[in-house]
Amino acid sequence: MSTDEIELKALMLASLEGDAAAHRVLLDRLSSRLRAYYKDRLARIGKAAAEAEDLVQEAVLAIHLKRATYDPSEPLTPWVYAIARYKLVDFLRRTRASRANVPIEEADEVMAHDDHDATESSYDIRRLMEGLSKNMRCAVEAVKLDGLSTAEAARRCGLSESGVKVNVHRGLKTLATLIAKRNAP
Amino acid sequence: MKTDELVTLLSTNVEPVDRGAVARTLCLAVGGGVIVALGTAFFGLGVRTDFATTRALIFLAVKLAFAIGTVGFAIAYLTRLTRPGGERKLSPFLTIAPFLVIMFLAAVSLGSAPRAHWDRMIVGDDWLECLLSIPIIAIVPFACSIWAVRKGAPTNLARAGAFAGLVAGGVSAIGYALHCTDDSLPFVAVWYGGTIVLCTFAGAALGPRLLRW
């Protein structure tokens, strides 16, 4: 097992416990690997590298939203690879850019390279947030953008604390859907 | 938006994650499906009334064992398929074990009976009712399973759909077994086994549409 796998898995386990710092480092490190993976795969079918950043963000959002599906008794790399590949196949299907089959590779491929050359994705989070309901928007803004605690966010949005949590989760899910829709021409 | 901004957003105020959520949601969904299937048997079709005979009890047990065995193995696989990459290294041999057992028992039972009885043993009294009831009762359990799988993140949608269909067919057969009075092993193998396989194919066909995320 690679040291990469061991380190990333340790970060993942900490992030599942609610360790925000570990979560941040994990998503950072995974996004540079996903960037290298997507740039390479898109280049192979003649697509612009710019679209890779959209895909990186879709995958990062998916990893965040679906992190409860990670089984800690399994290695992390195949889980990340499965999400990365799923998002790639979904993207190609949506954009109808290519009927090319995406071959199933070794899961390690997704961790093989780093790419820190981040560009901006083609959407603006503040503008996307306009697509959320009032409660979702308020909860995501308060908790995720302004860093308020759940109790403070509850006061600001006029929701209960559990209401804030539900709205943050639904809000991020809706954002992920909006991003996926936006990436389809 | 920069990916860095997204990462910052996602790692602000991170909530701890409930790790048992995937398995628990599935069990909840299947439990709901079982209640609906039993409810349909009790209040819709009516439960068979000849429990007094040993033969009826034995056949009820055989049918339930077949259906529960199918559901049990299928849930184990479906739980894996609900996670990304769960289809990796998955050899669903165990799921066909209940089918092999019932087919073997049916063959033995046919072999020990005179050929003239075969038609009657296979077709039974109510093959058409069985053929229709199991897929129809399976609809609600199927919707429950799909709901639960959608909470996860399957990456092989056809296979996850197939197993959701298999679970639903098995759950439906648990309910139908309480009503059904056709007591022969070949009947169970052909009509129970066949309709559950039908539910599995339907699930495989619907999976890619219903399970996208």
Side-chain angles (χ1 to χ4, degrees):
Chain A
M1 202 182 290
S2 66
T3 48
D4 218 33
E5 161 69 31
I6 294 166
E7 283 176 28
L8 290 173
K9 182 167 173 174
L11 288 169
M12 181 67 171
L13 295 180
S15 103
L16 291 177
E17 299 289 333
D19 180 338
H23 195 59
R24 200 202 146 105
V25 177
L26 175 76
L27 294 185
D28 254 339
R29 290 179 59 175
L30 289 180
S31 58
S32 62
R33 284 168 177 78
L34 289 165
R35 185 172 301 117
Y37 172 76
Y38 284 137
K39 275 188 182 171
D40 178 70
R41 295 308 179 277
L42 289 181
R44 284 188 200 178
I45 56 162
K47 297 215 80 179
E51 286 175 291
E53 206 62 28
D54 290 9
L55 260 172
V56 170
Q57 295 185 6
E58 266 193 57
V60 166
L61 254 169
I63 286 169
H64 174 83
L65 286 170
K66 300 293 188 181
R67 62 195 193 281
T69 63
Y70 173 62
D71 177 357
S73 64
E74 296 279 330
L76 181 68
T77 306
W79 181 82
V80 172
Y81 171 70
I83 292 180
R85 183 175 180 279
Y86 179 83
K87 285 293 167 189
L88 177 62
V89 172
D90 191 54
F91 173 81
L92 294 177
R93 205 183 48 77
R94 256 187 287 138
T95 56
R96 293 194 171 78
S98 156
R99 284 160 191 256
N101 226 341
V102 179
I104 295 175
E105 304 149 300
E106 288 295 314
D108 296 340
E109 282 287 307
V110 74
M111 298 292 191
H113 303 285
D114 265 328
D115 187 333
H116 295 283
D117 185 14
T119 48
E120 291 207 20
S121 65
S122 54
Y123 53 84
D124 179 73
I125 192 80
R126 295 272 178 185
R127 191 169 306 160
L128 277 180
M129 301 251 301
E130 288 165 17
L132 301 185
S133 74
K134 187 175 133 283
N135 284 346
M136 285 186 206
R137 189 162 64 225
C138 182
V140 173
E141 267 174 5
V143 175
K144 292 294 187 179
L145 291 173
D146 302 338
L148 297 188
S149 72
T150 312
E152 289 165 332
R155 234 170 292 134
R156 189 205 274 185
C157 303
L159 295 164
S160 66
E161 291 197 22
S162 60
V164 167
K165 287 181 189 174
V166 169
N167 275 290
V168 168
H169 187 74
R170 289 205 185 134
L172 291 179
K173 251 171 80 176
T174 312
L175 280 178
T177 321
L178 291 174
I179 289 172
K181 270 201 200 128
R182 220 193 146 293
N183 286 346
Chain B
M1 178 174 56
K2 291 200 171 86
T3 300
D4 195 46
E5 291 166 352
L6 178 67
V7 169
T8 307
L9 181 147
L10 295 179
S11 31
T12 306
N13 292 326
V14 179
E15 295 281 331
V17 160
D18 175 5
R19 286 186 195 168
V22 171
R24 208 174 41 245
T25 309
L26 263 178
C27 288
L28 192 75
V30 174
V34 170
I35 291 172
V36 171
L38 292 181
T40 313
F42 275 102
F43 304 111
L45 294 168
V47 176
R48 64 188 297 180
T49 48
D50 54 356
F51 283 120
T53 67
T54 327
R55 186 182 155 78
L57 283 177
I58 289 174
F59 270 93
L60 179 65
V62 168
K63 290 169 188 168
L64 286 180
F66 171 60
I68 292 171
T70 303
V71 172
F73 289 127
I75 290 178
Y77 285 104
L78 188 58
T79 311
R80 293 185 59 179
L81 286 168
T82 301
R83 304 175 191 277
E87 63 275 18
R88 209 173 46 105
K89 292 192 242 161
L90 189 77
S91 56
F93 173 75
L94 276 179
T95 35
I96 58 170
F99 291 86
L100 293 179
V101 170
I102 197 77
M103 273 161 25
F104 173 74
L105 293 176
V108 170
S109 152
L110 282 179
S112 61
R115 202 169 262 270
H117 290 191
W118 283 16
D119 274 0
R120 166 117 195 95
M121 289 169 77
I122 294 172
V123 175
D125 293 320
D126 284 318
W127 65 273
L128 184 62
E129 186 195 69
C130 180
L131 180 65
L132 295 176
S133 296
I134 290 185
I136 290 172
I137 301 172
I139 292 173
V140 175
F142 182 68
C144 294
S145 308
I146 291 289
W147 166 81
V149 176
R150 282 181 61 93
K151 297 241 158 202
T155 48
N156 186 331
L157 306 188
R159 213 185 282 190
F163 275 83
L166 182 62
V167 167
V171 166
S172 168
I174 293 175
Y176 184 69
L178 296 175
H179 165 76
C180 166
T181 47
D182 275 300
D183 292 338
S184 93
L185 290 166
F187 183 90
V188 177
V190 171
W191 302 108
Y192 280 60
T195 47
I196 293 173
V197 169
L198 205 67
C199 294
T200 310
F201 282 125
L206 292 170
R209 282 158 186 267
L210 298 178
L211 295 174
R212 279 190 60 211
W213 52 281

